[in-house]
Amino acid sequence: NGLMTFIATNNWTTNSGATILRNKIVKETKIEKLLDFNSYMIFESAAIQTMILISRKREFDNYIIDYRKIEADKATLQDVNALLTKENNDNNIIEEFKFAKEKWIDKSLIFKTSNIEYILGKIQSKRNFNLDAKKEVATGIDVHQDFLNKKNQQKLGDNYRIGEGIFNLTTAEKHNLNLNQKELELICPFYTTSELGKYYGSLQNSLWIIYTSSKFKDAQHIKPYPNLKIHLDRFKDVITSDNKPYGLHRARNESFFKGKKIISLRKCPNEPSFTYTDFDCYVSQTFYVIKTNRINQKYLVALLNSSLVAYWLRHKGKMQGAAYQIDKGPILEIPIFCPEKQILTLVSLLVNCIICCKKEKLNLKSKIFEQIIDGIVFHLYFPDHMQKKQIDILQFVEKDLAEVIQNRDFEQLPDTEKENIINQLHARWTHPDSEVRNRIKLFAVRSPEILKPILKSG
């Protein structure tokens, strides 16, 4: 019947590596209190998000937990004090959480208020499409030795410099290797967060990767690539790949990096970031890759970048304080709704407009298109609610698009005409008399129970 008070990082409730700990607490104790400080750094000398757990060595099947959490991304000491003393505070959640032990064995401990659970339940109920974990979602490349680090430079000597490319190369390093045509077939365009942003990925890569699979563990496979062999032999003593010295540590199925696909950033400090690319794009484990031909991928990237999915991931995914940790598990658990072809085509067109805005650095103009996508996603997931509150925008968006596009194929138009269309649509949807604009402004006002929490969360 003893009490244990633990101060710990607040990700033990959801981290996959903490399953044994969670099960032990769930099965053998009664959780008395959980106080989650979220993004507030309690310890001045440690940049970690913390939580206080108070549990009693006693088994109960059903009981009430005193659950408190700071919700604000930029919390203050005043918020912390209010949490500890249980004072009313708009930035905090203070709730008595009903806990049924059997429901939580082998599960992440995700504590939500009744209204949050209601919204999440409505989103979950619309799922009608599942990504295939094996065929449609893959992690990026585990390069292992990308560039020469300080420790390995000291090992190799003064003829080497920190930052030299090993399996990753700059454009200058690639040129200096004097590679023949066959060798160039192994040099693939490599992209980082410098080129890949929300929705848009620039074609102008500054890095390359020597893409050698596990078969290069057999030294015979490098013989047709003499200049690459000379290059990799220079770093032989510090290459620790499982397929050393000539093979990448973990190459992937190359088809994931080719053609149309969605690149998902794993650690997102402010908001989820999914990039649509239709060019060869090789990435590291900083990203996941989503590739499917069973759903329009431009529609999918719009859905994944929406405020609704951000809300879902904030409450059902993995969070590191205010930052999103979007691993394969959270991606697969997103409730994807696939609508009829007409809406897929419409959303795909809006994504084309956003990509054009990002490409031409018209970020301010892209905002209205992203808001409209949010509105269409809300319509898909809460259709009756949107119509009842008279804040559905789909019919008005369809009308405006038809009048401006006039049955033309947007993707086949010259850039000047695309920009003209974007300007016309932007002018319509930001005009004070626009039904689309005015209904968007009423989302939070007329839907304080559903849309306001979603938009506030983003």
Side-chain angles (χ1 to χ4, degrees), residues 19 40 95 100 133 200 237 244 259-260 265 274 290 323 363 424:
T19 304
Y40 189 87
E95 180 178 83
Y200 173 68
D237 292 340
K244 63 182 181 183
K260 298 174 182 178
L265 181 62
F274 296 86
I290 303 166
N363 291 330
Q424 287 185 58

Side-chain angles (χ1 to χ4, degrees), residues 195-204 275-276 278-279 298 350-367 369-370 410-411 413-416 418-419 422:
E195 297 90 19
L196 301 177
K198 188 174 181 180
Y199 278 106
Y200 173 68
S202 170
L203 275 165
Q204 300 302 314
T275 313
Y276 176 82
D278 55 5
F279 49 86
K298 286 184 179 174
L350 292 172
V351 170
N352 284 333
C353 292
I354 291 172
I355 290 173
C356 282
C357 287
K358 301 277 187 183
K359 184 178 179 181
E360 300 302 323
K361 297 182 179 179
L362 305 171
N363 291 330
L364 290 177
K365 288 193 175 180
S366 76
K367 185 178 178 181
F369 294 95
E370 294 182 52
F410 183 88
E411 290 191 74
L413 295 174
D415 289 346
T416 52
K418 288 179 183 177
E419 190 170 341
I422 288 169

Side-chain angles (χ1 to χ4, degrees), residues 170-227:
T170 64
T171 299
E173 287 172 331
K174 171 192 165 190
H175 177 75
N176 291 337
L177 291 181
N178 296 315
L179 304 176
N180 62 43
Q181 193 58 44
K182 187 173 181 62
E183 289 173 314
L184 286 171
E185 293 172 4
L186 293 182
I187 308 299
C188 301
F190 191 80
Y191 289 81
T192 69
T193 52
S194 296
E195 297 90 19
L196 301 177
K198 188 174 181 180
Y199 278 106
Y200 173 68
S202 170
L203 275 165
Q204 300 302 314
N205 62 296
S206 58
L207 294 176
W208 305 84
I209 186 166
I210 302 171
Y211 203 76
T212 49
S213 64
S214 58
K215 68 183 181 182
F216 280 82
K217 190 172 185 177
D218 179 355
Q220 293 297 317
H221 275 90
I222 199 68
K223 284 189 174 181
Y225 311 95
N227 295 302

